[in-house]
Amino acid sequence: MQRLEGHKKTVQGCAIDPFMKYIVTVSPDRTARVYKNTKGKALPQFYIHHILKYRSYSKKEDAAMVDIRQENDEESLSSLAHEHKQAHIMFAGESECPAFQRRIAWSPDGSFLLLTGSIFKSAPGVKPIFTVYAFSRKNLSRPAFHLPGFEKCPLVARFCPCLFVKPAAQIQEMVDLPYVMVFAVASMDVVAIYSTLSVCPLAVVRNVHYHSITDLAFSGDRYLLISSSDGYCSVVRFDEGVFGKRMRTEDMPAQIQPFFKDYDKTNPNNISLFAKNTPTSVTSTSFLAIVVATFKSEKNKELQLVQETERGEPLLRPQTGSKKVRKIVPTMVASEPMDVDGGE
């Protein structure tokens, strides 16, 4: 159909705008390339729109850097940034981010984009920190905000497919939207769960795998699956309603309703992993360690994090509160493929 080229190294991440207007790719060449569709959804044709690499230290300089970026090649911009010390590279190199993937993501409503594998510097000479940059679709030339706090380079960003009713209380939001979205960001050993109401994470899950986390996937608003290069998957389970009331499709803005029109007809929280008729013919290596993150819909939404190993010993204790930890029995997964339909 079409071949998009331009990166000098392997493409490690790609995200398609739900409206089919933009495609964004990232690479260890420390650039993100934004391609724009100029022909519509029926017969899309994408052309390079932005090459993201530098972020200026001050907001006033951002606009100037964007103008220069559009008129000059990458080498000219690199020379200018070094000469005037007015910008830094936004993305981590291979030495800072030794991974084979940088999973970026568009929000399910297409309002903003999350770019993992990023670094932030507040001023020249300051040590950079790992972060995730968020770009509004209204301005893909510079970040709208970022999510710092990771000790290792963030590699994966994934959104919950549900939208939630906005709370009535007046608070300072991270993103001004008529609803709330939830998403997760993972580095090599930590998963942070956010909502669009705050830059502070709702929960942090760590030390659940022996090797690097490779991907995340939401199943409805009750489960988050975490995969790792150690060959195991973990499941984070949330209490019902912890993120708020799910918004009905008919209550959403008209322009995004097509993205969610079939969602209310399904049961996304019913995953075969927890089927009661799990086969009993398993080996000792077939145990699946389950991480249960129970969000209590009580005062301060107390968080409990528990991992049950084969010994039944939790590795993560509750961070706050004095309530007892609920223990669970690890689910056993057969070495042969399971019948997804449960034999029905």
Side-chain angles (χ1 to χ4, degrees):
M1 188 173 177
Q2 186 180 357
R3 189 171 179 173
L4 303 178
E5 298 178 332
H7 283 293
K8 296 180 179 179
K9 294 186 178 180
T10 306
V11 175
Q12 292 186 334
C14 179
I16 302 176
D17 170 27
F19 291 96
M20 279 296 291
K21 188 175 181 180
Y22 299 104
I23 292 179
V24 183
T25 60
V26 293
S27 167
D29 64 7
R30 307 187 77 174
T31 66
R33 300 178 72 89
V34 181
Y35 299 89
K36 186 176 181 180
N37 179 14
T38 59
K39 298 292 184 180
K41 294 182 180 180
L43 192 63
Q45 191 72 26
F46 290 89
Y47 297 92
I48 189 66
H49 182 57
H50 281 301
I51 300 177
L52 303 173
K53 185 170 185 178
Y54 296 96
R55 173 195 166 273
S56 9
Y57 293 112
S58 70
K59 292 183 178 180
K60 291 182 179 180
E61 292 173 353
D62 269 332
M65 293 298 288
V66 172
D67 293 337
I68 294 169
R69 184 184 295 112
Q70 293 172 346
E71 297 176 1
N72 293 270
D73 58 23
E74 186 178 332
E75 286 73 17
S76 297
L77 183 56
S78 176
S79 176
L80 181 75
H82 176 74
E83 192 174 318
H84 296 281
K85 297 183 178 180
Q86 46 179 271
H88 71 87
I89 299 178
M90 290 193 293
F91 305 107
E94 291 178 293
S95 61
E96 300 162 303
C97 185
F100 296 103
Q101 78 285 340
R102 303 185 188 208
R103 305 193 192 279
I104 61 179
W106 279 97
S107 60
D109 66 341
S111 61
F112 64 96
L113 168 74
L114 294 179
L115 293 185
T116 57
S118 304
I119 55 178
F120 173 84
K121 289 181 68 176
S122 59
V126 176
K127 183 180 179 180
I129 61 174
F130 291 119
T131 189
V132 176
Y133 284 117
F135 292 77
S136 168
R137 73 176 296 108
K138 297 179 180 179
N139 185 1
L140 290 173
S141 62
R142 69 181 187 185
F145 60 91
H146 72 108
L147 304 169
F150 294 91
E151 295 180 3
K152 298 180 180 180
C153 189
L155 303 173
V156 185
R158 289 289 183 256
F159 281 85
C160 174
C162 307
L163 302 185
F164 302 92
V165 177
K166 199 172 182 178
Q170 297 293 326
I171 59 175
Q172 187 176 0
E173 303 170 69
M174 180 169 60
V175 182
D176 185 16
L177 295 169
Y179 40 78
V180 176
M181 288 186 291
V182 173
F183 58 93
V185 175
S187 66
M188 297 180 71
D189 57 354
V190 172
V191 179
I193 302 168
Y194 298 86
S195 82
T196 52
L197 295 177
S198 174
V199 293
C200 297
L202 299 173
V204 176
V205 181
R206 60 175 75 233
N207 300 327
V208 294
H209 285 282
Y210 289 107
H211 293 283
S212 174
I213 294 171
T214 56
D215 207 351
L216 303 171
F218 276 94
S219 178
D221 58 350
R222 295 293 307 279
Y223 300 101
L224 174 66
L225 283 74
I226 307 171
S227 67
S228 168
S229 57
D230 61 11
Y232 285 82
C233 288
S234 299
V235 178
V236 179
R237 184 178 65 200
F238 308 103
D239 276 356
E240 186 174 359
V242 66
F243 299 126
K245 182 181 178 181
R246 280 180 56 179
M247 178 174 281
R248 299 181 303 175
T249 303
E250 55 266 30
D251 296 331
M252 299 176 187
Q255 68 270 21
I256 67 171
Q257 287 186 13
F259 305 148
F260 302 90
K261 62 180 180 180
D262 296 326
Y263 196 76
D264 292 339
K265 301 177 184 178
T266 63
N267 182 12
N269 294 321
N270 182 19
I271 58 178
S272 59
L273 179 65
F274 298 104
K276 294 182 179 179
N277 57 346
T278 303
T280 56
S281 57
V282 296
T283 63
S284 59
T285 58
S286 298
F287 281 97
L288 177 67
I290 296 182
V291 181
V292 180
T294 304
F295 289 76
K296 296 296 182 181
S297 302
E298 302 173 357
K299 185 177 180 181
N300 297 328
K301 292 184 178 180
E302 175 183 306
L303 170 66
Q304 294 183 344
L305 296 174
V306 180
Q307 181 192 35
E308 290 293 332
T309 62
E310 296 177 15
R311 299 178 181 177
E313 299 176 355
L315 298 183
L316 294 178
R317 297 291 182 179
Q319 293 181 345
T320 59
S322 58
K323 294 188 177 181
K324 295 182 178 180
V325 176
R326 295 188 302 169
K327 291 189 176 182
I328 61 172
V329 179
T331 300
M332 294 185 293
V333 180
S335 57
E336 293 84 20
M338 292 178 57
D339 184 3
V340 177
D341 295 329
E344 299 180 357

